[in-house]
Each structure stands twice: as structure tokens, then as C-alpha cells.
Amino acid sequence: MPTAAPLALVASRVRYEEKRLLEAAERRRVPFVQVDPRTVWMELTAAGGPSWGVALNREISHTRGLYLARLLAAKGVPTVNPAAVAEVCGDKLLTSLALARAGLPTPRTAVALTSAAALEAAEVLGYPVVTKPLVGSWGRLAAVLRDREAAEAVLEHRDALPSPQQHVVYLQELVDKPGRDIRAIVVGDRVLGACYRRADGWRTNGARGASFSPCPPDPDLDRLALAAAAAVGGGVLGVDLLEDRDGALCVLEVNHTVEFRRFQEAVGDRVEVADAIVGHALAGAGR
């Protein structure tokens, strides 16, 4: 097991974000360890566990990151974000249910347990609709279904995939957005800022090359982002919002292992995302 430290950054891949977090810890003169979760094991019935004040869970694999967070919780190690938050944010159905319970505006959404039921749901929602896997990021395996023929083709392909989870169909209306969406970053009870994400296609993911530009301060946007973060359990979160053609905002999803490179490049020195995250983690650990 890795050595004791007030802060552990847990990640199997050290990207821009993880480097910035480690640099922020160095600037604060906080001793830290960088841990590859692929090397971690814990004996469940043994006393004790990692001697870390707090763990920043930046594991890129959702499954590995979720189970790591559960193990750390069992061993009494505070984790940012906790397993309960990762569980909700990592599953689009659980996220949608949490946002609905909080009464927050979201795109119309339906979940069907078979392709036949999904075709009926799509007719009720009205084409075009978007289908997404329950677990996944970066817009992978998401598709716009513009009519029944397209829906039948995509759902037939999904039915052929080996994972039973892929056979559960998550559908959302395709919001007529003005060529952009909004990414807000929430740390604790603070919205660090928001950026527009623009792309030529309907997907505006940063991982797919969307351009980022600062979004002007907006109290209504901040309130909605904070409410969405609270609905899934709070912490360090990326909240994705959509505007319709009239400017009305709704929450699309909430990300628990938020990537912030493009956001940081867009906002410049006005906001230091990594330092805010490290400060939040240390405050939660009582430092």
C-alpha cells in the first residue's frame, strides 16, 4: 500500500488535469502521493487502510473508480468525489432521476427496457430523439434517431451488443439549442465559472473538439448549476446545461470526474480550477 500522505491523487492516467492538481498541491506545500489504482488492493476484514488524509479520485475507468471509492469509504478515507456521487453521476438514469426529484428542468427523457418499448417511447417523445448508453462519456455510442427507420436500425445494433446494460434504452428529446451548450464547474458551494461549448455537429463534447469560450456571469445559471450539483450529492462536478431557442436553461447531465483543460484555457488566470479542487479536498479532510 502506498505511503502515508495528507493527499492522495488516484489516477491510472496522468493527464493535464492531474498534473495541474499535483502542481496545486506542491504550491500549497501539501505532502501528496500519486497512486495508480491498478496497483491498489485491500483486505476487507483487516483493520486499517491507506494512511491518506483525503483521496482525489481521478480514475478514468468508471467501474474501477466507483469500486475504489467504495473501498476507501469502507476504510475511512474521505474521497472526492464520494462513491454515492460517482454512482449517480456515472449512470444517466440515476442522474435523471436525481434531477427530476429535485424538480430541476431537464430535456424530456424516457427509459425503455426493450427495443420494442423504446420505439413506442420515441413516438411519444417525438422524433428526432437522442439515444445514449446509460454509462459512458465523451458522447460515445450516442446517436440521433430522426425517424422510426433510423431508430429500428440503431436499436437492432444495440440489441446485438453483448452487454445487457446496452439493451436498456435511454432516450431524450433533441433540444433545439443555438449551436452550443454550457459547461459550468462547481466546487463545493461555489460555481467557479461557465463556458460555452460550440461545435458543428449536435454533440458539443470537449473530447470531440468543441471550442470553449467564457460564458458571462449569470445568477440564474449559477443557481441552476448549484442545484444540479446538490441533487447528485455535491462535490467537484461539471454541470452541462442547454439553452433552447428562447434562452431557457435546462440541465443535461452532471459529471463527477470533470475534465477542465479546455475550460481553464478559455477562462485563463481569472480562475484556478486545480487549486480550488485541492482546497476543497483538504477542507473536507479538516486541513
Side-chain angles (χ1 to χ4, degrees):
M1 188 60 63
T3 56
L7 176 69
L9 188 140
V10 187
S12 58
R13 186 185 302 176
V14 179
R15 304 164 294 174
Y16 166 92
E17 289 83 0
E18 288 71 42
K19 291 176 182 176
R20 292 294 294 257
L21 291 164
L22 293 173
E23 291 167 359
E26 286 182 342
R27 287 195 300 270
R28 287 173 171 261
R29 301 182 184 276
V30 176
F32 63 85
V33 291
Q34 191 263 311
V35 180
D36 186 335
R38 294 172 296 187
T39 69
V40 172
W41 65 274
M42 299 181 198
E43 186 176 351
L44 303 187
T45 56
S51 299
W52 306 330
V54 63
L56 268 175
N57 187 359
R58 297 286 307 178
E59 173 50 27
I60 195 168
S61 161
H62 170 65
T63 300
R64 198 155 49 220
L66 175 58
Y67 279 93
L68 171 69
R70 289 171 174 163
L71 288 170
L72 291 174
K75 296 297 183 180
V77 179
T79 306
V80 178
N81 289 305
V85 173
E87 184 173 23
V88 172
C89 293
D91 186 307
K92 291 180 177 62
L93 170 57
L94 296 182
T95 302
S96 292
L97 290 172
L99 296 172
R101 283 194 296 268
L104 301 181
T106 64
R108 291 180 66 201
T109 303
V111 175
L113 303 184
T114 64
S115 290
L119 290 171
E120 182 179 340
E123 295 287 347
V124 173
L125 289 179
Y127 292 104
V129 294
V130 177
T131 183
K132 307 174 184 178
L134 292 176
V135 176
S137 57
W138 303 331
R140 290 174 297 197
L141 293 181
V144 175
L145 312 179
R146 299 195 180 277
D147 52 36
R148 186 180 179 93
E149 183 178 5
E152 289 174 343
V154 170
L155 295 177
E156 181 180 357
H157 171 74
R158 290 278 296 273
D159 281 342
L161 296 176
S163 170
Q165 190 180 68
Q166 293 289 352
H167 305 163
V168 178
V169 184
Y170 179 95
L171 298 170
Q172 279 187 330
E173 67 171 316
L174 180 64
V175 176
D176 184 19
K177 60 187 180 182
R180 67 190 186 192
D181 68 6
I182 299 171
R183 159 62 60 87
I185 294 184
V186 176
V187 176
D189 59 0
R190 177 186 171 201
V191 178
L192 297 187
C195 280
Y196 292 122
R197 303 188 299 187
R198 293 179 172 87
D200 291 335
W202 66 275
R203 286 179 287 196
T204 47
N205 305 77
R208 291 183 171 272
S211 65
F212 279 58
S213 61
C215 178
D218 182 335
D220 291 335
L221 186 156
D222 287 356
R223 281 192 289 270
L224 185 55
L226 287 171
V232 300
V236 175
L237 299 160
V239 180
D240 293 341
L241 305 111
L242 298 176
E243 311 158 274
D244 65 18
R245 292 290 175 175
D246 297 323
L249 289 168
C250 67
V251 182
L252 181 63
E253 58 186 49
V254 185
N255 302 274
H256 67 285
T257 310
V258 60
E259 298 173 357
F260 55 85
R261 178 173 189 163
R262 305 295 297 280
F263 179 98
Q264 186 69 73
E265 291 171 348
V267 302
D269 296 335
R270 289 180 296 157
V271 178
E272 178 47 62
V273 179
D275 188 70
I277 293 173
V278 170
H280 172 80
L282 294 174
R287 291 181 58 86

